[in-house]
Amino acid sequence: MVNLFSREHNKRTRFTRMCIGEAVFVLMDKKEYEKIKISDIVKTAGVSRMTFYHYYETKEDALSDYFHEIVAGYIRECRTEKIGRFHDRSSIVHALKYFDQYEMFIGKLVQYILWDAMNDYMSKRIMPKYKIPEYELYFYGGALLNVFLKWQKDQKKESAEQIADSIIKSMGSPVTSHPAKCEDDGINA
């Protein structure tokens, strides 16, 4: 499998890879995940088997890569919009609103590989750059994902801002609405 995290590779191939990931997602509406075959994926994506296997070994790899692209988009937005650090209220609000755009995909992905994809992304992409201890990073990622899923399940009765305030309060931090300075994190998002 190719190194999908290299800057050159992402720029050149993102469209093809996202077509493959979206094809798996579309097929998940039509049949059970376990019954989806690579031949179904390539037909739906409009690519050859050779192209699929150039990028991935399994359909799980394709979904994981698609999820990585969603998270990379979140990181790009954090940089562009000067969102605060991970634990800041503004970052929590932004995360909830950003991932809400992908509610259907995340809901389906949770059933199959989300935890593995998220933890893989955290350990390979976030931990080396931010030097956050592994268990703290897993705690934060898992907690935020769990809060997001609960928010979705409850049909978003509270605003993202109310949820962020509740989280900040439970952590014993003062609730502030102004973002901290966002640094260029250097992650190839």
Side-chain angles (χ1 to χ4, degrees):
M1 188 167 70
V2 249
N3 177 4
L4 298 174
F5 295 125
S6 72
R7 184 178 299 268
E8 177 183 309
H9 201 77
N10 276 341
K11 284 182 179 179
R12 196 177 48 158
T13 64
R14 182 174 282 146
F15 178 77
T16 300
R17 292 177 16 251
M18 293 305 90
C19 286
I20 293 169
E22 287 176 19
V24 178
F25 179 66
V26 166
L27 289 166
M28 289 165 72
D29 278 337
K30 298 178 180 178
K31 56 170 72 176
E32 292 178 34
Y33 180 74
E34 295 80 25
K35 294 182 180 178
I36 297 172
K37 298 179 177 152
I38 302 303
S39 57
D40 299 326
I41 296 168
V42 298
K43 182 178 179 183
T44 303
V47 300
S48 69
R49 286 180 76 84
M50 191 166 82
T51 298
F52 179 90
Y53 285 114
H54 174 73
Y55 297 114
Y56 310 114
E57 294 175 9
T58 66
K59 61 187 173 189
E60 289 79 10
D61 291 339
L63 282 178
S64 181
D65 182 44
Y66 192 75
F67 178 73
H68 288 184
E69 284 295 329
I70 290 172
V71 175
Y74 165 71
I75 291 171
R76 282 191 300 275
E77 274 195 19
C78 284
R79 268 192 238 137
T80 305
E81 297 182 21
K82 307 286 188 235
I83 304 301
R85 302 190 190 287
F86 289 121
H87 295 81
D88 292 344
R89 178 185 187 274
S90 60
S91 181
I92 295 167
V93 169
H94 184 263
L96 290 169
K97 289 180 177 181
Y98 178 85
F99 290 109
D100 187 41
Q101 301 171 79
Y102 301 98
E103 172 184 2
M104 290 178 60
F105 175 74
I106 291 172
K108 287 181 184 179
L109 196 56
V110 164
Q111 299 171 13
Y112 304 106
I113 64 164
L114 181 60
W115 290 108
D116 289 340
M118 181 185 69
N119 289 336
D120 181 62
Y121 190 87
M122 297 288 222
S123 65
K124 290 181 180 172
R125 307 293 307 279
I126 303 295
M127 196 168 46
K129 174 61 184 169
Y130 291 99
K131 309 296 187 229
I132 299 170
E134 184 175 30
Y135 286 108
E136 180 181 347
L137 187 60
Y138 277 59
F139 170 80
Y140 179 75
L144 190 56
L145 176 61
N146 202 30
V147 166
F148 175 78
L149 294 173
K150 174 68 173 153
W151 185 51
Q152 294 297 314
K153 183 179 178 184
D154 290 348
Q155 301 177 344
K156 298 176 260 180
K157 291 177 185 168
E158 300 91 354
S159 69
E161 291 79 5
Q162 289 170 317
I163 291 171
D165 289 345
S166 176
I167 292 169
I168 295 297
K169 184 178 176 183
S170 72
M171 294 184 340
S173 302
V175 176
T176 61
S177 59
H178 61 292
K181 182 180 178 188
C182 183
E183 301 171 11
D184 181 4
D185 59 18
I187 290 179
N188 180 19

